[in-house]
Amino acid sequence: MVFAYPWVPESPRFLMISNRPAEAQLVLQRVAKINGVVLPKMQLVASSTSEKRGRVWDLLSPALRRLSLVLWFLWIALVFVYYGIVLLTPEYFEPLVDSVNGQYFVIVLTSFAELPGLVLVGFLVNRIGRRKTQVVAFAGCSLCTLLLLIDASVYVSTVFAIGARSLIYAAFAVTFFYTPEAYPTSLRGVGLGTASSLSRVSGVATPFVATTLSSVSRLLPFMVFAAFALVAAGFAVLLPVETAGKPLADVVDTSPSTATTTSITSHGRKKKAQRRNDADGDEGDDLADAVELVAVPKSDHDNDDEDYDDE
């Protein structure tokens, strides 16, 4: 990726909010040339209402607080359960499989189980939505993990382990691309980066928790990971927005007194419904701000019309 840096174009949006319209124009011209189209005659100018860059504390603004807190827990639970299952799978199958080769085979088989998880996400995510897919994946992972507590044959236990690994990876995949979809453009990278960073805390704690609980009982860690996955399924229900088939939000009002804009406010309450109605009335203003980024040079005919109006 480092070697590819010179060939990766910068985001025109970032260049515009950084007051570098000339560079943004060059990027758009390059993109148009690569796609074999002609760029319309226009000149990019900076908007009169400068857009603030995303900051971490904006994630806890009134309009985004619920979304951020729920997503942070989901990310923490994802990493905790995922790495917990990965770490405990070899130890779980050690007394069930006699040979070392058999143990390695089970580990490799459960590792490949992540691929069906991706297929499941691709099948469900646009049919039942992001949130429901997360609920199904977390709840299914919890169920499969609990089934590992049953004293079954190695073949049945392998099926349960494959199901748990596949479903937690499915939850990981859908949460990974749901997170940037749920945040407005100005906070998309910040939101994803913050959630991912917080999840690393549980990643560090997972080995210590797994080791400590395993010393008490071989099955106790699986009970804890199953409980976390089940609670995460409940938290996924609390996500305030479904992003499937919806336009991505561009901006959000992060001021404490309003918190009215965008389509990512919570559903179901009268006050928040009123806020969405108020936000619909402001869409024209947001569109005007967006249009202001592009100024098409006026023709001579337009100038004559203005002179006529002056007379």
Side-chain angles (χ1 to χ4, degrees):
M1 295 183 66
V2 174
F3 292 108
Y5 177 79
W7 292 276
V8 178
E10 184 55 86
S11 166
R13 179 187 177 87
F14 170 78
L15 294 173
M16 288 302 301
I17 64 176
S18 301
N19 198 23
R20 295 153 63 182
E23 296 178 51
Q25 183 86 21
L26 292 176
V27 172
L28 292 177
Q29 291 175 351
R30 177 184 173 188
V31 172
K33 182 178 179 181
I34 293 175
N35 288 276
V37 297
V38 179
L39 193 68
K41 293 183 179 180
M42 63 180 181
Q43 181 180 0
L44 298 180
V45 295
S47 174
S48 59
T49 56
S50 59
E51 179 183 334
K52 295 181 179 179
R53 296 186 184 181
R55 300 166 297 181
V56 175
W57 48 86
D58 290 337
L59 300 176
L60 293 176
S61 62
L64 297 174
R65 185 178 298 122
R66 176 179 172 182
L67 173 68
S68 297
L69 293 177
V70 173
L71 280 176
W72 290 350
F73 178 82
L74 291 181
W75 275 85
I76 290 173
L78 275 171
V79 173
F80 183 69
V81 176
Y82 175 80
Y83 286 111
I85 293 175
V86 171
L87 289 172
L88 292 177
T89 298
E91 183 179 349
Y92 176 84
F93 283 99
E94 184 176 355
L96 299 179
V97 181
D98 297 332
S99 64
V100 176
N101 292 335
Q103 295 176 13
Y104 279 121
F105 175 77
V106 172
I107 294 172
V108 172
L109 189 63
T110 54
S111 298
F112 276 103
E114 296 179 356
L115 297 178
L118 293 177
V119 175
L120 179 66
V121 169
F123 179 78
L124 293 179
V125 73
N126 289 324
R127 288 175 171 80
I128 66 174
R130 274 66 161 156
R131 289 186 299 182
K132 290 182 180 179
T133 302
Q134 286 175 299
V135 173
V136 170
F138 277 118
C141 173
S142 177
L143 177 61
C144 290
T145 305
L146 284 176
L147 291 175
L148 289 172
L149 303 177
I150 300 175
D151 186 12
S153 65
V154 64
Y155 302 104
V156 176
S157 297
T158 302
V159 172
F160 294 154
I162 290 175
R165 182 79 173 264
S166 177
L167 289 168
I168 191 59
Y169 196 77
F172 216 137
V174 66
T175 305
F176 186 86
F177 64 77
Y178 171 88
T179 302
E181 286 181 347
Y183 284 112
T185 304
S186 57
L187 289 171
R188 196 157 290 145
V190 176
L192 179 60
T194 302
S196 179
S197 299
L198 290 174
S199 69
R200 303 307 165 186
V201 176
S202 62
V204 173
T206 300
F208 298 99
V209 174
T211 303
T212 303
L213 295 179
S214 296
S215 62
V216 178
S217 172
R218 185 174 68 93
L219 300 179
L220 182 59
F222 290 97
M223 298 175 62
V224 174
F225 295 135
F228 257 84
L230 186 60
V231 173
F235 267 74
V237 177
L238 300 177
L239 287 170
V241 61
E242 173 56 66
T243 59
K246 303 290 182 64
L248 299 181
D250 188 41
V251 295
V252 63
D253 189 354
T254 57
S255 59
S257 59
T258 54
T260 56
T261 70
T262 76
S263 59
I264 58 177
T265 52
S266 304
H267 303 284
R269 296 184 182 179
K270 293 182 179 180
K271 290 184 179 179
K272 294 183 178 179
Q274 182 63 39
R275 289 176 180 174
R276 287 197 300 275
N277 294 334
D278 296 340
D280 293 338
D282 295 334
E283 286 180 356
D285 298 335
D286 294 339
L287 180 60
D289 293 339
V291 172
E292 192 175 1
L293 294 176
V294 180
V296 180
K298 295 182 178 180
S299 62
D300 295 336
H301 178 71
D302 295 331
N303 293 333
D304 293 341
D305 292 341
E306 290 183 2
D307 295 338
Y308 179 79
D309 293 338
D310 294 336
E311 294 178 359

